[in-house]
Amino acid sequence: MIKRELPVFTARPHRAFSSGFYPCADFDYELRGMLGAAAYGAADVGEVLTTIDAVAGKDHWFRA
């Protein structure tokens, strides 16, 4: 049997997890809540990420 070594990953936190998705604390809080609720079927992660991509740079999500 051939023994293979697993790849080594460095512990570098992703920018979004350490500094937030948005500079606005309210947007960031709501987004993290939606991503967490996706595990319970409230949304699809891809749907949430696509929406925040459309919101980037705008001051209100409903204008996206």
Side-chain angles (χ1 to χ4, degrees):
M1 182 171 188
I2 299 173
K3 185 177 180 181
R4 294 184 180 179
E5 294 198 26
L6 296 174
V8 177
F9 297 102
T10 59
R12 292 183 318 178
H14 191 276
R15 177 179 46 89
F17 297 126
S18 59
S19 63
F21 290 93
Y22 287 107
C24 174
D26 293 334
F27 273 12
D28 194 61
Y29 177 81
E30 291 297 330
L31 173 61
R32 289 172 186 259
M34 284 307 299
L35 288 173
Y40 298 99
D44 181 66
V45 174
E47 175 184 39
V48 174
L49 294 176
T50 300
T51 303
I52 66 167
D53 186 47
V55 175
K58 296 179 176 66
D59 58 347
H60 296 290
W61 62 269
F62 51 84
R63 292 185 187 164

